[in-house]
Amino acid sequence: EFRRLTEVDLRRSKSDQLLRLRACVDAAGPDLVVVPSEASRIAAALTDVRLVTSERLGVRSDEDADALYG
């Protein structure tokens, strides 16, 4: 029930954060500078990217991560 009630807002929030990250990267030029007011949103977006990437690569444990570098 909780998921049903929060899923739309959560997806919207994650999407907005990823769009903000993209805008920052596109505008950055050679250096990306994140202003303090955007830091938490950018950090959350980077965390989401990391989680999706690790899931798609099948990295679920330290051993899985070590195997990528082995």
Short mmCIF file of all heavy atoms in Angstrom, two decimals:
data_model
loop_
_atom_site.label_atom_id
_atom_site.label_comp_id
_atom_site.label_asym_id
_atom_site.label_seq_id
_atom_site.Cartn_x
_atom_site.Cartn_y
_atom_site.Cartn_z
N GLU A 1 0.83 -1.19 0.00
CA GLU A 1 0.00 0.00 0.00
C GLU A 1 0.88 1.25 0.00
O GLU A 1 0.61 2.20 -0.73
CB GLU A 1 -0.93 -0.03 1.23
CG GLU A 1 -1.88 1.13 1.31
CD GLU A 1 -2.96 1.14 0.22
OE1 GLU A 1 -3.16 0.10 -0.46
OE2 GLU A 1 -3.59 2.17 0.03
N PHE A 2 1.92 1.25 0.84
CA PHE A 2 2.81 2.41 0.89
C PHE A 2 3.44 2.67 -0.47
O PHE A 2 3.50 3.81 -0.93
CB PHE A 2 3.89 2.19 1.95
CG PHE A 2 4.87 3.32 2.06
CD1 PHE A 2 4.51 4.50 2.70
CD2 PHE A 2 6.13 3.20 1.51
CE1 PHE A 2 5.40 5.55 2.79
CE2 PHE A 2 7.03 4.25 1.60
CZ PHE A 2 6.67 5.42 2.24
N ARG A 3 3.91 1.59 -1.11
CA ARG A 3 4.53 1.75 -2.43
C ARG A 3 3.55 2.35 -3.42
O ARG A 3 3.91 3.24 -4.20
CB ARG A 3 5.05 0.41 -2.93
CG ARG A 3 5.71 0.52 -4.28
CD ARG A 3 6.29 -0.77 -4.73
NE ARG A 3 6.93 -0.57 -6.02
CZ ARG A 3 7.76 -1.41 -6.56
NH1 ARG A 3 8.08 -2.51 -5.95
NH2 ARG A 3 8.29 -1.16 -7.72
N ARG A 4 2.34 1.86 -3.43
CA ARG A 4 1.33 2.38 -4.35
C ARG A 4 1.11 3.87 -4.13
O ARG A 4 0.96 4.63 -5.08
CB ARG A 4 0.02 1.62 -4.17
CG ARG A 4 -1.07 2.05 -5.15
CD ARG A 4 -2.38 1.33 -4.90
NE ARG A 4 -2.99 1.67 -3.64
CZ ARG A 4 -3.69 2.78 -3.40
NH1 ARG A 4 -3.85 3.67 -4.35
NH2 ARG A 4 -4.22 3.00 -2.22
N LEU A 5 1.14 4.30 -2.89
CA LEU A 5 0.88 5.71 -2.57
C LEU A 5 2.07 6.63 -2.85
O LEU A 5 1.89 7.82 -3.05
CB LEU A 5 0.47 5.84 -1.10
CG LEU A 5 -0.86 5.18 -0.72
CD1 LEU A 5 -1.06 5.21 0.78
CD2 LEU A 5 -2.02 5.86 -1.45
N THR A 6 3.28 6.07 -2.87
CA THR A 6 4.46 6.93 -3.01
C THR A 6 5.20 6.76 -4.34
O THR A 6 6.07 7.57 -4.65
CB THR A 6 5.46 6.65 -1.88
OG1 THR A 6 5.85 5.27 -1.92
CG2 THR A 6 4.85 6.98 -0.53
N GLU A 7 4.88 5.72 -5.10
CA GLU A 7 5.67 5.40 -6.28
C GLU A 7 5.71 6.52 -7.32
O GLU A 7 6.77 6.84 -7.85
CB GLU A 7 5.17 4.11 -6.92
CG GLU A 7 6.05 3.65 -8.06
CD GLU A 7 5.68 2.26 -8.55
OE1 GLU A 7 4.60 1.74 -8.22
OE2 GLU A 7 6.50 1.70 -9.27
N VAL A 8 4.59 7.13 -7.61
CA VAL A 8 4.55 8.19 -8.62
C VAL A 8 5.43 9.36 -8.21
O VAL A 8 6.24 9.87 -9.01
CB VAL A 8 3.10 8.65 -8.89
CG1 VAL A 8 3.08 9.88 -9.78
CG2 VAL A 8 2.31 7.52 -9.52
N ASP A 9 5.32 9.80 -6.97
CA ASP A 9 6.15 10.91 -6.49
C ASP A 9 7.63 10.54 -6.47
O ASP A 9 8.49 11.37 -6.81
CB ASP A 9 5.72 11.36 -5.09
CG ASP A 9 4.38 12.06 -5.10
OD1 ASP A 9 3.98 12.59 -6.16
OD2 ASP A 9 3.73 12.08 -4.04
N LEU A 10 7.94 9.33 -6.09
CA LEU A 10 9.33 8.89 -6.04
C LEU A 10 9.93 8.87 -7.45
O LEU A 10 11.04 9.35 -7.67
CB LEU A 10 9.44 7.51 -5.40
CG LEU A 10 10.84 6.94 -5.27
CD1 LEU A 10 11.71 7.84 -4.40
CD2 LEU A 10 10.78 5.54 -4.68
N ARG A 11 9.19 8.33 -8.40
CA ARG A 11 9.68 8.30 -9.79
C ARG A 11 9.87 9.71 -10.33
O ARG A 11 10.86 10.00 -11.00
CB ARG A 11 8.72 7.52 -10.68
CG ARG A 11 8.78 6.04 -10.47
CD ARG A 11 7.79 5.33 -11.40
NE ARG A 11 7.73 3.93 -11.13
CZ ARG A 11 8.44 3.02 -11.78
NH1 ARG A 11 9.28 3.39 -12.72
NH2 ARG A 11 8.33 1.75 -11.47
N ARG A 12 8.94 10.58 -10.04
CA ARG A 12 9.03 11.97 -10.50
C ARG A 12 10.25 12.65 -9.90
O ARG A 12 11.01 13.34 -10.58
CB ARG A 12 7.77 12.74 -10.15
CG ARG A 12 7.78 14.15 -10.72
CD ARG A 12 6.49 14.92 -10.42
NE ARG A 12 5.33 14.20 -10.92
CZ ARG A 12 4.31 13.79 -10.16
NH1 ARG A 12 4.31 14.01 -8.87
NH2 ARG A 12 3.30 13.15 -10.69
N SER A 13 10.48 12.43 -8.62
CA SER A 13 11.62 13.03 -7.93
C SER A 13 12.94 12.53 -8.52
O SER A 13 13.86 13.31 -8.79
CB SER A 13 11.55 12.70 -6.44
OG SER A 13 12.71 13.12 -5.79
N LYS A 14 13.05 11.22 -8.74
CA LYS A 14 14.26 10.65 -9.31
C LYS A 14 14.49 11.17 -10.73
O LYS A 14 15.61 11.51 -11.11
CB LYS A 14 14.22 9.14 -9.28
CG LYS A 14 14.36 8.58 -7.86
CD LYS A 14 14.41 7.08 -7.87
CE LYS A 14 14.60 6.54 -6.48
NZ LYS A 14 15.88 6.90 -5.88
N SER A 15 13.44 11.24 -11.50
CA SER A 15 13.55 11.76 -12.86
C SER A 15 14.01 13.22 -12.87
O SER A 15 14.90 13.60 -13.64
CB SER A 15 12.20 11.62 -13.57
OG SER A 15 12.26 12.16 -14.86
N ASP A 16 13.42 14.02 -12.00
CA ASP A 16 13.81 15.43 -11.89
C ASP A 16 15.28 15.57 -11.50
O ASP A 16 16.00 16.42 -12.02
CB ASP A 16 12.93 16.17 -10.88
CG ASP A 16 11.50 16.36 -11.35
OD1 ASP A 16 11.23 16.16 -12.56
OD2 ASP A 16 10.65 16.69 -10.50
N GLN A 17 15.73 14.74 -10.57
CA GLN A 17 17.13 14.79 -10.13
C GLN A 17 18.08 14.41 -11.27
O GLN A 17 19.12 15.04 -11.46
CB GLN A 17 17.35 13.87 -8.93
CG GLN A 17 16.69 14.40 -7.67
CD GLN A 17 16.69 13.38 -6.54
OE1 GLN A 17 16.95 12.20 -6.74
NE2 GLN A 17 16.40 13.86 -5.35
N LEU A 18 17.71 13.39 -12.03
CA LEU A 18 18.55 12.98 -13.16
C LEU A 18 18.59 14.04 -14.25
O LEU A 18 19.63 14.30 -14.85
CB LEU A 18 18.07 11.65 -13.72
CG LEU A 18 18.33 10.44 -12.83
CD1 LEU A 18 17.58 9.22 -13.34
CD2 LEU A 18 19.82 10.16 -12.72
N LEU A 19 17.46 14.69 -14.49
CA LEU A 19 17.44 15.78 -15.47
C LEU A 19 18.30 16.95 -15.01
O LEU A 19 18.99 17.58 -15.81
CB LEU A 19 16.00 16.24 -15.72
CG LEU A 19 15.13 15.26 -16.50
CD1 LEU A 19 13.67 15.72 -16.50
CD2 LEU A 19 15.65 15.08 -17.92
N ARG A 20 18.28 17.23 -13.71
CA ARG A 20 19.12 18.31 -13.16
C ARG A 20 20.59 17.95 -13.29
O ARG A 20 21.41 18.80 -13.64
CB ARG A 20 18.75 18.56 -11.69
CG ARG A 20 19.44 19.73 -11.10
CD ARG A 20 18.96 21.02 -11.76
NE ARG A 20 19.90 22.07 -11.47
CZ ARG A 20 20.41 22.89 -12.37
NH1 ARG A 20 20.03 22.83 -13.61
NH2 ARG A 20 21.27 23.81 -12.03
N LEU A 21 20.93 16.70 -13.02
CA LEU A 21 22.31 16.24 -13.20
C LEU A 21 22.74 16.42 -14.65
O LEU A 21 23.82 16.93 -14.92
CB LEU A 21 22.45 14.78 -12.77
CG LEU A 21 23.80 14.12 -13.05
CD1 LEU A 21 24.93 14.83 -12.31
CD2 LEU A 21 23.75 12.65 -12.69
N ARG A 22 21.90 16.02 -15.56
CA ARG A 22 22.23 16.16 -16.99
C ARG A 22 22.44 17.62 -17.35
O ARG A 22 23.38 17.96 -18.08
CB ARG A 22 21.15 15.56 -17.85
CG ARG A 22 21.46 15.67 -19.31
CD ARG A 22 20.43 15.04 -20.19
NE ARG A 22 20.82 15.24 -21.57
CZ ARG A 22 20.10 14.84 -22.58
NH1 ARG A 22 18.97 14.20 -22.37
NH2 ARG A 22 20.49 15.06 -23.81
N ALA A 23 21.59 18.49 -16.87
CA ALA A 23 21.73 19.92 -17.16
C ALA A 23 23.05 20.46 -16.61
O ALA A 23 23.74 21.24 -17.29
CB ALA A 23 20.55 20.70 -16.58
N CYS A 24 23.43 20.03 -15.42
CA CYS A 24 24.70 20.47 -14.84
C CYS A 24 25.88 19.97 -15.65
O CYS A 24 26.82 20.72 -15.91
CB CYS A 24 24.82 19.98 -13.40
SG CYS A 24 23.79 20.84 -12.23
N VAL A 25 25.82 18.72 -16.07
CA VAL A 25 26.92 18.15 -16.86
C VAL A 25 27.00 18.83 -18.22
O VAL A 25 28.08 19.18 -18.69
CB VAL A 25 26.75 16.62 -17.00
CG1 VAL A 25 27.72 16.05 -18.02
CG2 VAL A 25 26.93 15.94 -15.65
N ASP A 26 25.86 19.04 -18.86
CA ASP A 26 25.84 19.70 -20.17
C ASP A 26 26.40 21.12 -20.11
O ASP A 26 27.06 21.57 -21.03
CB ASP A 26 24.42 19.73 -20.74
CG ASP A 26 23.94 18.37 -21.22
OD1 ASP A 26 24.77 17.45 -21.35
OD2 ASP A 26 22.73 18.23 -21.46
N ALA A 27 26.13 21.82 -19.01
CA ALA A 27 26.57 23.21 -18.87
C ALA A 27 27.98 23.34 -18.31
O ALA A 27 28.53 24.43 -18.28
CB ALA A 27 25.59 23.96 -17.96
N ALA A 28 28.58 22.24 -17.91
CA ALA A 28 29.83 22.29 -17.14
C ALA A 28 31.05 22.68 -17.95
O ALA A 28 31.97 23.27 -17.42
CB ALA A 28 30.08 20.95 -16.46
N GLY A 29 31.10 22.34 -19.21
CA GLY A 29 32.36 22.54 -19.93
C GLY A 29 33.37 21.54 -19.39
O GLY A 29 33.03 20.43 -19.04
N PRO A 30 34.64 21.97 -19.26
CA PRO A 30 35.65 21.02 -18.79
C PRO A 30 35.57 20.72 -17.30
O PRO A 30 36.06 19.70 -16.84
CB PRO A 30 36.97 21.70 -19.14
CG PRO A 30 36.63 23.15 -19.16
CD PRO A 30 35.21 23.24 -19.63
N ASP A 31 34.95 21.59 -16.52
CA ASP A 31 34.88 21.40 -15.07
C ASP A 31 33.44 21.47 -14.60
O ASP A 31 32.71 22.40 -14.93
CB ASP A 31 35.68 22.48 -14.34
CG ASP A 31 37.16 22.42 -14.67
OD1 ASP A 31 37.71 21.31 -14.66
OD2 ASP A 31 37.74 23.48 -14.94
N LEU A 32 33.05 20.49 -13.80
CA LEU A 32 31.71 20.49 -13.22
C LEU A 32 31.80 21.07 -11.82
O LEU A 32 32.51 20.55 -10.96
CB LEU A 32 31.15 19.07 -13.16
CG LEU A 32 29.81 18.90 -12.45
CD1 LEU A 32 28.72 19.71 -13.15
CD2 LEU A 32 29.43 17.44 -12.38
N VAL A 33 31.09 22.15 -11.61
CA VAL A 33 31.02 22.78 -10.29
C VAL A 33 29.58 22.69 -9.83
O VAL A 33 28.67 23.15 -10.52
CB VAL A 33 31.48 24.25 -10.34
CG1 VAL A 33 31.33 24.90 -8.99
CG2 VAL A 33 32.92 24.34 -10.83
N VAL A 34 29.37 22.09 -8.68
CA VAL A 34 28.03 21.94 -8.12
C VAL A 34 27.89 22.94 -7.00
O VAL A 34 28.68 22.95 -6.05
CB VAL A 34 27.80 20.50 -7.60
CG1 VAL A 34 26.43 20.37 -6.97
CG2 VAL A 34 28.00 19.50 -8.72
N VAL A 35 26.88 23.79 -7.11
CA VAL A 35 26.63 24.77 -6.06
C VAL A 35 26.01 24.07 -4.86
O VAL A 35 25.32 23.05 -5.00
CB VAL A 35 25.73 25.92 -6.56
CG1 VAL A 35 26.42 26.71 -7.66
CG2 VAL A 35 24.39 25.40 -7.04
N PRO A 36 26.26 24.57 -3.66
CA PRO A 36 25.76 23.91 -2.45
C PRO A 36 24.25 23.65 -2.47
O PRO A 36 23.80 22.60 -2.00
CB PRO A 36 26.14 24.87 -1.33
CG PRO A 36 27.36 25.55 -1.85
CD PRO A 36 27.12 25.72 -3.33
N SER A 37 23.48 24.54 -3.05
CA SER A 37 22.03 24.35 -3.05
C SER A 37 21.59 23.16 -3.91
O SER A 37 20.49 22.64 -3.75
CB SER A 37 21.32 25.62 -3.52
OG SER A 37 21.69 25.93 -4.85
N GLU A 38 22.44 22.73 -4.84
CA GLU A 38 22.13 21.60 -5.72
C GLU A 38 22.84 20.31 -5.30
O GLU A 38 22.60 19.25 -5.86
CB GLU A 38 22.55 21.93 -7.16
CG GLU A 38 21.74 23.02 -7.80
CD GLU A 38 20.33 22.58 -8.11
OE1 GLU A 38 20.13 21.42 -8.49
OE2 GLU A 38 19.43 23.41 -7.97
N ALA A 39 23.72 20.40 -4.32
CA ALA A 39 24.58 19.27 -3.98
C ALA A 39 23.81 18.01 -3.60
O ALA A 39 24.14 16.91 -4.07
CB ALA A 39 25.54 19.66 -2.85
N SER A 40 22.80 18.13 -2.78
CA SER A 40 22.08 16.92 -2.36
C SER A 40 21.33 16.29 -3.52
O SER A 40 21.26 15.05 -3.62
CB SER A 40 21.13 17.23 -1.20
OG SER A 40 20.12 18.13 -1.60
N ARG A 41 20.78 17.09 -4.42
CA ARG A 41 20.06 16.54 -5.58
C ARG A 41 21.03 15.83 -6.53
O ARG A 41 20.73 14.77 -7.05
CB ARG A 41 19.33 17.65 -6.32
CG ARG A 41 18.16 18.19 -5.57
CD ARG A 41 17.41 19.20 -6.42
NE ARG A 41 16.44 19.88 -5.61
CZ ARG A 41 16.42 21.18 -5.39
NH1 ARG A 41 17.32 21.95 -5.95
NH2 ARG A 41 15.50 21.72 -4.62
N ILE A 42 22.18 16.45 -6.74
CA ILE A 42 23.18 15.85 -7.62
C ILE A 42 23.71 14.55 -7.01
O ILE A 42 23.86 13.54 -7.70
CB ILE A 42 24.32 16.84 -7.91
CG1 ILE A 42 23.79 18.08 -8.63
CG2 ILE A 42 25.45 16.18 -8.69
CD1 ILE A 42 23.14 17.83 -9.96
N ALA A 43 23.98 14.57 -5.72
CA ALA A 43 24.46 13.36 -5.04
C ALA A 43 23.43 12.24 -5.13
O ALA A 43 23.78 11.08 -5.38
CB ALA A 43 24.81 13.66 -3.59
N ALA A 44 22.16 12.56 -4.95
CA ALA A 44 21.10 11.55 -5.05
C ALA A 44 21.02 10.98 -6.46
O ALA A 44 20.87 9.77 -6.65
CB ALA A 44 19.77 12.15 -4.63
N ALA A 45 21.15 11.84 -7.47
CA ALA A 45 21.11 11.38 -8.86
C ALA A 45 22.30 10.47 -9.16
O ALA A 45 22.14 9.43 -9.82
CB ALA A 45 21.09 12.57 -9.81
N LEU A 46 23.49 10.84 -8.68
CA LEU A 46 24.67 10.00 -8.90
C LEU A 46 24.51 8.65 -8.21
O LEU A 46 24.93 7.61 -8.74
CB LEU A 46 25.92 10.71 -8.42
CG LEU A 46 26.37 11.90 -9.27
CD1 LEU A 46 27.48 12.66 -8.58
CD2 LEU A 46 26.77 11.45 -10.66
N THR A 47 23.91 8.64 -7.03
CA THR A 47 23.65 7.38 -6.33
C THR A 47 22.71 6.50 -7.14
O THR A 47 22.93 5.29 -7.27
CB THR A 47 23.09 7.65 -4.93
OG1 THR A 47 24.08 8.35 -4.18
CG2 THR A 47 22.71 6.36 -4.22
N ASP A 48 21.66 7.10 -7.70
CA ASP A 48 20.72 6.33 -8.52
C ASP A 48 21.42 5.74 -9.74
O ASP A 48 21.19 4.58 -10.09
CB ASP A 48 19.54 7.20 -8.95
CG ASP A 48 18.62 7.54 -7.79
OD1 ASP A 48 18.67 6.85 -6.76
OD2 ASP A 48 17.86 8.52 -7.92
N VAL A 49 22.27 6.53 -10.38
CA VAL A 49 23.02 6.04 -11.54
C VAL A 49 23.92 4.88 -11.13
O VAL A 49 24.00 3.85 -11.81
CB VAL A 49 23.84 7.18 -12.20
CG1 VAL A 49 24.83 6.63 -13.22
CG2 VAL A 49 22.91 8.20 -12.83
N ARG A 50 24.60 5.02 -10.00
CA ARG A 50 25.48 3.95 -9.51
C ARG A 50 24.69 2.67 -9.24
O ARG A 50 25.12 1.57 -9.62
CB ARG A 50 26.19 4.41 -8.23
CG ARG A 50 27.14 3.38 -7.65
CD ARG A 50 27.67 3.80 -6.30
NE ARG A 50 26.64 3.98 -5.29
CZ ARG A 50 26.07 2.98 -4.61
NH1 ARG A 50 26.41 1.74 -4.83
NH2 ARG A 50 25.15 3.23 -3.71
N LEU A 51 23.55 2.80 -8.60
CA LEU A 51 22.75 1.62 -8.28
C LEU A 51 22.23 0.91 -9.53
O LEU A 51 22.27 -0.32 -9.62
CB LEU A 51 21.58 2.00 -7.36
CG LEU A 51 21.97 2.41 -5.95
CD1 LEU A 51 20.78 3.00 -5.21
CD2 LEU A 51 22.55 1.23 -5.19
N VAL A 52 21.75 1.67 -10.49
CA VAL A 52 21.25 1.07 -11.73
C VAL A 52 22.39 0.41 -12.50
O VAL A 52 22.25 -0.71 -13.00
CB VAL A 52 20.53 2.12 -12.60
CG1 VAL A 52 20.26 1.59 -14.00
CG2 VAL A 52 19.24 2.57 -11.94
N THR A 53 23.53 1.07 -12.56
CA THR A 53 24.68 0.52 -13.27
C THR A 53 25.14 -0.78 -12.63
O THR A 53 25.37 -1.79 -13.33
CB THR A 53 25.84 1.53 -13.31
OG1 THR A 53 25.38 2.72 -13.95
CG2 THR A 53 27.03 0.97 -14.06
N SER A 54 25.25 -0.80 -11.32
CA SER A 54 25.71 -2.02 -10.65
C SER A 54 24.70 -3.15 -10.81
O SER A 54 25.09 -4.31 -11.00
CB SER A 54 26.00 -1.77 -9.17
OG SER A 54 24.83 -1.44 -8.47
N GLU A 55 23.44 -2.84 -10.79
CA GLU A 55 22.41 -3.87 -10.98
C GLU A 55 22.51 -4.46 -12.38
O GLU A 55 22.47 -5.68 -12.57
CB GLU A 55 21.02 -3.28 -10.74
CG GLU A 55 19.89 -4.26 -10.94
CD GLU A 55 19.91 -5.43 -9.97
OE1 GLU A 55 20.43 -5.29 -8.85
OE2 GLU A 55 19.40 -6.51 -10.34
N ARG A 56 22.66 -3.61 -13.36
CA ARG A 56 22.73 -4.10 -14.75
C ARG A 56 24.01 -4.87 -15.04
O ARG A 56 24.03 -5.73 -15.91
CB ARG A 56 22.54 -2.95 -15.72
CG ARG A 56 21.11 -2.42 -15.63
CD ARG A 56 20.75 -1.53 -16.73
NE ARG A 56 19.36 -1.13 -16.59
CZ ARG A 56 18.79 -0.23 -17.35
NH1 ARG A 56 19.47 0.36 -18.30
NH2 ARG A 56 17.52 0.08 -17.15
N LEU A 57 25.07 -4.55 -14.31
CA LEU A 57 26.32 -5.29 -14.46
C LEU A 57 26.35 -6.55 -13.60
O LEU A 57 27.28 -7.34 -13.69
CB LEU A 57 27.52 -4.40 -14.08
CG LEU A 57 27.84 -3.27 -15.04
CD1 LEU A 57 28.93 -2.38 -14.44
CD2 LEU A 57 28.26 -3.81 -16.40
N GLY A 58 25.34 -6.71 -12.75
CA GLY A 58 25.29 -7.88 -11.88
C GLY A 58 26.21 -7.78 -10.68
O GLY A 58 26.62 -8.80 -10.13
N VAL A 59 26.55 -6.57 -10.28
CA VAL A 59 27.44 -6.36 -9.14
C VAL A 59 26.57 -6.25 -7.88
O VAL A 59 25.93 -5.23 -7.65
CB VAL A 59 28.30 -5.10 -9.32
CG1 VAL A 59 29.17 -4.87 -8.10
CG2 VAL A 59 29.14 -5.21 -10.58
N ARG A 60 26.56 -7.32 -7.10
CA ARG A 60 25.70 -7.35 -5.91
C ARG A 60 26.49 -7.59 -4.63
O ARG A 60 25.92 -7.59 -3.55
CB ARG A 60 24.63 -8.41 -6.09
CG ARG A 60 23.67 -8.05 -7.22
CD ARG A 60 22.56 -9.05 -7.36
NE ARG A 60 21.70 -8.68 -8.47
CZ ARG A 60 21.86 -9.08 -9.72
NH1 ARG A 60 22.85 -9.87 -10.04
NH2 ARG A 60 21.03 -8.69 -10.66
N SER A 61 27.78 -7.83 -4.77
CA SER A 61 28.61 -8.09 -3.59
C SER A 61 30.01 -7.54 -3.83
O SER A 61 30.35 -7.16 -4.95
CB SER A 61 28.69 -9.59 -3.32
OG SER A 61 29.42 -10.22 -4.35
N ASP A 62 30.81 -7.52 -2.77
CA ASP A 62 32.20 -7.09 -2.90
C ASP A 62 32.95 -8.02 -3.86
O ASP A 62 33.80 -7.56 -4.63
CB ASP A 62 32.90 -7.06 -1.55
CG ASP A 62 32.39 -5.94 -0.66
OD1 ASP A 62 31.81 -4.97 -1.18
OD2 ASP A 62 32.61 -6.02 0.57
N GLU A 63 32.63 -9.29 -3.82
CA GLU A 63 33.29 -10.25 -4.70
C GLU A 63 32.96 -9.95 -6.16
O GLU A 63 33.83 -10.04 -7.04
CB GLU A 63 32.89 -11.69 -4.35
CG GLU A 63 33.42 -12.17 -3.01
CD GLU A 63 32.62 -11.64 -1.82
OE1 GLU A 63 31.44 -11.25 -1.98
OE2 GLU A 63 33.20 -11.59 -0.73
N ASP A 64 31.71 -9.58 -6.44
CA ASP A 64 31.33 -9.21 -7.80
C ASP A 64 32.11 -7.98 -8.27
O ASP A 64 32.59 -7.92 -9.40
CB ASP A 64 29.83 -8.91 -7.89
CG ASP A 64 28.95 -10.11 -7.65
OD1 ASP A 64 29.43 -11.25 -7.82
OD2 ASP A 64 27.77 -9.91 -7.29
N ALA A 65 32.25 -7.00 -7.38
CA ALA A 65 33.00 -5.79 -7.72
C ALA A 65 34.47 -6.12 -7.97
O ALA A 65 35.08 -5.62 -8.92
CB ALA A 65 32.86 -4.76 -6.62
N ASP A 66 35.04 -6.97 -7.11
CA ASP A 66 36.44 -7.37 -7.29
C ASP A 66 36.67 -8.08 -8.61
O ASP A 66 37.71 -7.91 -9.26
CB ASP A 66 36.90 -8.26 -6.14
CG ASP A 66 37.00 -7.52 -4.80
OD1 ASP A 66 37.09 -6.25 -4.83
OD2 ASP A 66 37.00 -8.19 -3.76
N ALA A 67 35.68 -8.85 -9.04
CA ALA A 67 35.81 -9.59 -10.29
C ALA A 67 35.90 -8.64 -11.49
O ALA A 67 36.52 -8.97 -12.51
CB ALA A 67 34.63 -10.54 -10.47
N LEU A 68 35.32 -7.46 -11.39
CA LEU A 68 35.41 -6.49 -12.48
C LEU A 68 36.83 -5.99 -12.66
O LEU A 68 37.23 -5.63 -13.76
CB LEU A 68 34.49 -5.30 -12.22
CG LEU A 68 33.00 -5.54 -12.34
CD1 LEU A 68 32.23 -4.30 -11.94
CD2 LEU A 68 32.64 -5.96 -13.75
N TYR A 69 37.58 -5.94 -11.58
CA TYR A 69 38.95 -5.42 -11.63
C TYR A 69 39.99 -6.53 -11.75
O TYR A 69 41.17 -6.26 -11.86
CB TYR A 69 39.24 -4.58 -10.39
CG TYR A 69 38.38 -3.35 -10.31
CD1 TYR A 69 37.31 -3.28 -9.42
CD2 TYR A 69 38.65 -2.27 -11.12
CE1 TYR A 69 36.52 -2.14 -9.36
CE2 TYR A 69 37.86 -1.13 -11.06
CZ TYR A 69 36.79 -1.08 -10.18
OH TYR A 69 36.02 0.04 -10.12
N GLY A 70 39.55 -7.80 -11.71
CA GLY A 70 40.46 -8.92 -11.69
C GLY A 70 40.97 -9.33 -12.98
O GLY A 70 41.43 -9.12 -13.91
#
